[in-house]
Every structure is written in structure tokens, then in C-alpha cells.
């Protein structure tokens, strides 16, 4: 009617439940406003990836967030050849297409599969050939929907070598690490169309296998190894040089303990999470501990700055096989999967990082059960590696693991949910607390809200529980920008 709009716009609505002062609220279909309700993560049903006694033997799972497709490679039980299968995800269910052989029709007996993806969506599988002439082979293939395309097969390493892990380090560039005569060696692969040229073969250090991660910020691959504890080196991809790193975990100066198994995942271009099976404590007693560290490496650094070790309580301890970890960029969480000493099956825990930078600490959540069988013939899930991946539009996590005498299985876990979304978030209650049924005044877009411990000029997002933070959740609800340490401009 021509009257001036308020310079600090508000609305009024009936409170559904109690609402504290300066709290984020969302609008409901009946016109009332309420605070966020959190929904806990849930596990889906056990599903099958491949029938028969097939198994992954390595880190051979990739989720393509562009095509929304999860791809899994495995050793086929009938002919021992490498196969690939692709699936699409809906909630906690994966619908798999037909599995296809990716060895070019050759009679290769495979071990130690490692899968990565080039920047254009072409997949590269590396594996050991366990029959003569015992090469390390590669296969390039594409995926259309859930159909595996025609593969191109070649040799990455001649001779009796064992592949351990392959990394995509840039457009059409790969690094493969492999074992030859008890030494870890490396080669660089340059892709041109459907073939790869391998160069730069060099011996690095004495170690059985590689289970590392690539940090694109410094352009370094982090390479842990077991030697009187757990140590690491870093590999400069650009300079093709190995740098001395340092200690990750040393039990004591007088006793030579070891870490028998580990896995790691990149969190950002400069940050990683490392999990390992700590066999002994500083006194030499067997503990089979699940241990966790965060690490940070600056763009020009050759060494990692490690955080404090977090010892995660696991009843009976963990076994020395099947340990995996991955980072889910949608939820901002890591998920670790393992087998227990005192109970057959497979289990998981959620790791939460305090920040995505140097000096980050982590906390670990309660254990959840992915699979259990009281039948001894189908109880074992610890064959070398299970595989995990962040997968799906809604922050799901995928766990793929071998079950003895049953084949390759999967289980999906949903992300933590919230009743608040980017569509229904409307603003923050004013400086008054309200009880159910009262008329509440809500500061909306264009207004401000009083908060605490803000960083001026930082953007803030609504978390699942209605609090605010600088990292978006899977809901991606933008709250606003901090004007001062106590004032947030709503959706500015």
C-alpha cells in the first residue's frame, strides 16, 4: 500500500515446539515454524555385487559423481580374470548392470586389483598377472550407464612383479607403485587415447606393498611403511623424486613394534586421514588397536604435519586385514571399516574432523555393524581389503566386501538427515524464547541474528541440528555471512 518496508524484516508464525532465542527455524506445511529435527544414519540391507566366490583383492571401487555411477572390479571365481561391474544408487540400494571381463579375452589369473579414474571418466584398472609371464597389467575401459565398454589391455611392468596401487595424478597421468623382489618401485603412465606409455621405472625402498594417498596441493603421494612402528615417505609426482618423511607412530625408543596394516584417504588437496592396525603398545603388549591420525601438507612442503593419535576403542581389538577408510565430501565425515578380533563380520565407525586445515583433530563415533554371521563358513569378511567409497547424491557411504563362500557383497549407509532444508529454512528466531503454540517473531532474509564466536567475513551454513558452521552439509543450507564476531547477516 506504499508504506516503507522494514529495514530489518521479520515475520510472525506459531511455534511448533519450543524455540530458543536466536535459533534457526524452518517453515512447515501447516505454516508453523520449528527447529531442526535430526535423523540418525541408517544401514540398508545386505546386497550382492557378484555371485560365487568372487572377491575384490584390493582397492577397486570408484564412485563417479558426474555420472552417478559406482564401479567395482573383482576377480571372477570361474576363470580368475578381472571383471568390472557398474551400478546406480537409490537410497540404500545399488542396481547393478551386467559384469564384464576387462582383460581383453586373455587368460590372466589376477591378484591385487587397484582402480582409479581419469579426469574424463575413463577407468584404469591395474592388476598382477599370477600366471606366466607374470606381468603387471593395465586395462582402460569406459562405462555407459551401467554398461562396461570395450577395454584396452597392456603391460605396465614386465617381469614377476606385484602391483599395489595406482593413482590418477593429473589429466592423462598416472603413477603405479609395485613390488619387485621385496622392493617398492614406481612407474609413470601417460595416456594417449586407449593406450598408456609407462616410463620412469625406479627402485624406491624395501616394503611389501603401498597403501597411500595423493594430495594434489603439494603434488605428493604419501607412502606409509612399517619399520619399528609406522613411518612414511613422500613422493614428488612432478619431480619424480622420493623424499624422506619421518615418524607417524613409534611405540618406544627401546622396543621395535610395528603397524601391520593401514589405509588413508585425502580429505582436501592438503589434508588426509590415516587409520592403522597398531599391533602393540609401548610396553610390547598386544593390543590390536584401531589408531587414527590427521595429517596436513602445505603446497610447497615435503613432509606431513601430523596431529595427535586417536585410539578408537574397539571391543577385543581389530584384525590385521580388511581395514579401509574413505572421506565423504558431502557429509564432511570419514568412515572407517574393519574386522574385529572377538566377533566375526565387518564393522564401521564415523570419524569427524574438527577442521579442514593444519592442526585438525578428530573424534570417532559409536561402532555400527555392517555384517555378521554366526555360521563359520560365511563369517570371514577380512580377505585383504574391503572397499569403501562415498557414493550417492545424499551423502551415502558404500561398503563392498568379500564374504567367504558367498561372494562380493555390499551395504549402504545413509548420511545423517535433518528436517531442515534449503527450501524450508526461513530464518532465526529473535532474541526471545518461545514455547509451543506461542506466536514467534522470526528474523528473515535481510535481517541479522545474534550468534557467538563468529569469524567476520566468513560464510556460514546451517548444520543438521540447526546450529551454524563454516562447512556445508549435504543439505547445503546457506545461513549468511558474519559481520562481526556476534552478528550474522541472514543469507546476505
Amino acid at each position: 500500500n506504499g508504506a516503507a518496508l522494514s529495514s530489518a524484516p521479520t515475520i510472525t508464525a506459531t511455534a511448533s515446539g519450543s524455540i530458543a532465542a536466536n535459533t534457526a527455524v524452518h517453515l512447515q506445511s501447516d505454516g508453523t515454524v520449528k527447529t531442526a529435527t535430526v535423523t540418525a544414519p541408517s544401514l540398508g540391507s545386505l546386497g550382492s555385487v557378484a555371485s560365487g566366490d568372487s572377491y575384490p583383492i584390493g582397492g577397486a571401487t570408484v564412485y563417479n559423481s558426474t555420472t552417478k555411477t559406482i564401479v567395482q572390479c573383482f576377480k571372477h571365481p570361474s576363470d580368475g580374470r578381472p571383471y568390472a561391474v557398474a551400478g546406480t544408487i537409490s537410497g540404500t540400494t545399488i542396481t547393478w548392470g551386467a559384469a564384464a571381463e576387462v582383460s581383453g579375452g586373455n587368460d590372466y589369473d589376477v591378484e591385487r586389483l587397484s582402480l582409479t579414474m581419469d579426469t574424463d571418466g575413463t577407468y584404469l584398472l591395474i592388476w598382477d598377472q599370477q600366471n606366466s609371464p607374470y606381468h603387471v597389467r593395465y586395462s582402460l575401459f569406459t562405462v555407459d550407464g551401467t554398461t562396461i565398454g570395450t577395454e584396452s589391455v597392456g603391460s605396465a611392468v614386465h617381469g614377476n612383479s606385484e602391483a599395489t596401487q595406482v593413482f590418477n595424478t593429473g589429466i592423462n597421468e598416472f603413477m603405479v607403485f609395485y613390488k619387485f623382489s621385496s622392493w617398492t618401485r614406481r612407474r609413470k603412465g601417460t595416456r594417449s587415447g586407449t593406450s598408456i606409455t609407462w616410463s620412469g621405472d625406479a627402485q624406491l625402498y624395501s616394503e611389501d606393498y603401498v597403501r597411500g594417498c595423493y594430495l594434489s596441493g603439494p603434488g605428493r603421494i604419501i607412502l606409509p611403511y612399517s619399520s619399528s612402528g609406522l613411518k612414511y615417505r613422500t613422493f614428488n609426482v612432478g619431480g619424480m623424486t622420493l623424499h624422506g618423511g619421518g615418524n607417524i607412530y613409534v611405540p618406544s625408543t627401546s622396543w621395535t613394534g610395528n603397524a601391520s596394516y593401514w589405509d588413508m584417504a585425502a580429505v582436501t588437496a592438503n589434508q588426509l586421514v590415516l587409520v592403522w592396525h597398531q599391533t602393540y603398545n609401548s610396553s610390547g603388549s598386544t593390543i590390536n588397536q584401531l589408531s587414527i591420525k590427521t595429517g596436513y601438507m602445505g603446497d610447497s612442503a615435503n613432509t606431513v604435519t601430523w596431529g595427535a593419535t586417536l585410539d578408537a576403542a574397539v571391543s577385543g581389538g581389530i584384525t590385521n586385514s580388511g581395514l579401509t577408510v574413505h572421506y565423504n565430501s558431502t557429509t564432511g565425515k570419514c568412515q572407517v571399516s574393519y574386522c574385529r578380533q572377538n566377533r566375526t563380520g565387518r564393522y564401521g565407525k564415523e570419524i569427524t574432523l574438527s577442521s579442514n586445515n593444519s592442526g585438525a583433530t578428530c573424534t570417532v563415533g559409536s561402532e555400527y555393524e555392517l555384517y555378521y554371521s554366526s555360521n563359520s563358513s560365511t563369517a570371514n569378511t577380512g580377505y585383504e581389503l574391503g572397499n569403501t567409497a562415498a557414493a550417492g547424491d545424499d551423502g551415502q557411504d558404500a561398503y563392498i566386501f568379500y564374504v567367504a563362500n558367498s561372494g562380493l557383497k555390499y551395504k549402504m549407509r545413509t548420511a545423517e538427515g535433518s528436517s531442515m532444508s534449503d527450501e524450508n529454512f526461513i530464518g532465526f528466531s529473535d532474541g526471545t524464547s518461545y514455547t509451543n503454540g506461542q506466536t514467534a517473531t522470526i528474523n528473515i532474509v535481510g535481517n541479522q541474528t545474534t550468534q557467538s564466536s563468529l569469524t567476520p567475513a566468513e560464510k556460514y551454513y546451517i548444520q543438521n541440528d540447526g546450529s551454524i558452521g563454516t562447512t556445508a552439509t549435504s543439505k547445503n543450507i546457506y545461513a549468511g555471512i558474519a559481520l562481526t564476531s556476534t552478528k550474522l547477516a541472514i543469507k546476505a
Side-chain angles (χ1 to χ4, degrees):
N1 63 0
L5 294 173
S6 169
S7 59
T10 63
I11 65 157
T12 57
T14 302
S16 175
S18 59
I19 301 175
N22 302 304
T23 299
V25 298
H26 64 85
L27 192 64
Q28 300 194 105
S29 59
D30 61 1
T32 62
V33 290
K34 69 172 296 183
T35 57
T37 301
V38 174
T39 304
S42 61
L43 291 164
S45 301
L46 187 71
S48 180
V49 182
S51 60
D53 204 21
S54 51
Y55 41 92
I57 330 176
T61 307
V62 168
Y63 179 70
N64 187 331
S65 59
T66 301
T67 62
K68 313 299 183 186
T69 305
I70 187 167
V71 176
Q72 174 68 47
C73 292
F74 59 94
K75 177 177 181 174
H76 199 277
S78 63
D79 56 25
R81 298 177 183 181
Y83 277 64
V85 63
T88 55
I89 298 169
S90 177
T92 57
T93 300
I94 303 178
T95 301
W96 299 98
E101 177 199 312
V102 287
S103 61
N106 295 290
D107 191 18
Y108 296 145
D109 183 22
V110 303
E111 295 285 345
R112 295 176 179 85
L113 285 73
S114 181
L115 181 68
T116 190
M117 185 179 69
D118 207 349
T119 50
D120 67 350
T122 299
Y123 296 86
L124 170 63
L125 176 67
I126 292 284
W127 76 87
D128 300 348
Q129 181 185 336
Q130 291 294 294
N131 53 353
S132 182
Y134 306 104
H135 290 180
V136 172
R137 302 284 186 181
Y138 76 85
S139 175
L140 283 168
F141 62 91
T142 57
V143 176
D144 183 7
T146 59
T147 301
I148 306 299
T150 303
E151 72 277 13
S152 300
V153 179
S155 178
V157 181
H158 296 277
N160 193 2
S161 304
E162 297 177 5
T164 58
Q165 197 170 10
V166 65
F167 302 92
N168 174 227
T169 56
I171 300 174
N172 298 325
E173 288 187 359
F174 305 93
M175 288 298 308
V176 62
F177 293 83
Y178 58 96
K179 176 187 174 185
F180 180 80
S181 187
S182 299
W183 285 81
T184 293
R185 302 178 70 92
R186 49 82 169 158
R187 274 197 167 188
K188 181 178 181 179
T190 303
R191 176 185 160 219
S192 177
T194 57
S195 65
I196 297 178
T197 301
W198 298 93
S199 61
D201 179 50
Q203 182 169 289
L204 298 178
Y205 55 90
S206 179
E207 182 59 32
D208 283 344
Y209 78 106
V210 167
R211 192 67 183 163
C213 76
Y214 174 61
L215 294 180
S216 61
R220 304 290 191 271
I221 296 172
I222 317 303
L223 302 167
Y225 64 99
S226 180
S227 176
S228 299
L230 187 59
K231 300 179 181 178
Y232 77 99
R233 293 180 173 91
T234 65
F235 181 80
N236 183 338
V237 172
M240 293 288 285
T241 53
L242 183 71
H243 298 279
N247 294 326
I248 297 173
Y249 162 77
V250 177
S252 71
T253 56
S254 60
W255 177 78
T256 55
N258 72 307
S260 60
Y261 212 88
W262 58 86
D263 193 21
M264 57 200 317
V267 172
T268 66
N270 299 87
Q271 189 183 26
L272 61 89
V273 166
L274 169 68
V275 299
W276 74 92
H277 171 240
Q278 185 176 314
T279 314
Y280 308 102
N281 62 15
S282 58
S283 302
S285 300
T286 302
I287 56 173
N288 294 314
Q289 178 68 58
L290 171 61
S291 296
I292 306 167
K293 268 185 186 292
T294 60
Y296 186 88
M297 195 173 188
D299 285 350
S300 59
N302 288 319
T303 58
V304 178
T305 300
W306 297 100
T309 299
L310 172 66
D311 293 328
V314 175
S315 175
I318 66 172
T319 67
N320 63 353
S321 64
L323 181 62
T324 65
V325 67
H326 72 266
Y327 175 68
N328 190 322
S329 60
T330 302
T331 63
K333 312 277 189 180
C334 290
Q335 304 295 332
V336 58
S337 169
Y338 54 88
C339 300
R340 277 170 42 175
Q341 290 278 349
N342 66 343
R343 183 176 169 85
T344 57
R346 179 164 290 272
Y347 303 86
K349 284 178 179 285
E350 186 171 84
I351 303 170
T352 302
L353 281 64
S354 62
S355 64
N356 287 342
N357 52 39
S358 182
T361 58
C362 55
T363 56
V364 65
S366 301
E367 182 179 80
Y368 50 88
E369 183 179 281
L370 294 167
Y371 172 82
Y372 170 75
S373 174
S374 59
N375 185 335
S376 60
S377 67
T378 56
N380 180 24
T381 65
Y383 188 88
E384 289 202 10
L385 278 178
N387 297 319
T388 61
D393 288 341
D394 300 318
Q396 301 101 311
D397 296 288
Y399 303 84
I400 298 177
F401 48 90
Y402 162 76
V403 175
N405 301 309
S406 183
L408 202 56
K409 305 296 182 181
Y410 79 87
K411 182 163 283 193
M412 297 290 296
R413 183 177 186 262
T414 66
E416 181 182 81
S418 176
S419 60
M420 196 174 292
S421 68
D422 189 49
E423 289 75 22
N424 64 25
F425 165 65
I426 193 168
F428 292 81
S429 59
D430 64 0
T432 305
S433 296
Y434 299 97
T435 58
N436 183 52
Q438 283 190 308
T439 299
T441 298
I442 309 300
N443 296 337
I444 61 172
V445 176
N447 207 331
Q448 299 176 26
T449 180
T450 301
Q451 302 293 319
S452 62
S453 302
L454 304 177
T455 301
E458 281 282 337
K459 289 184 176 181
Y460 283 82
Y461 299 85
I462 304 294
Q463 307 302 294
N464 288 335
D465 62 359
S467 62
I468 60 174
T470 55
T471 302
T473 69
S474 59
K475 297 284 190 177
N476 196 31
I477 310 171
Y478 178 49
I481 189 169
L483 304 175
T484 68
S485 62
T486 60
K487 291 291 183 182
L488 184 81
I490 301 175
K491 287 205 169 184

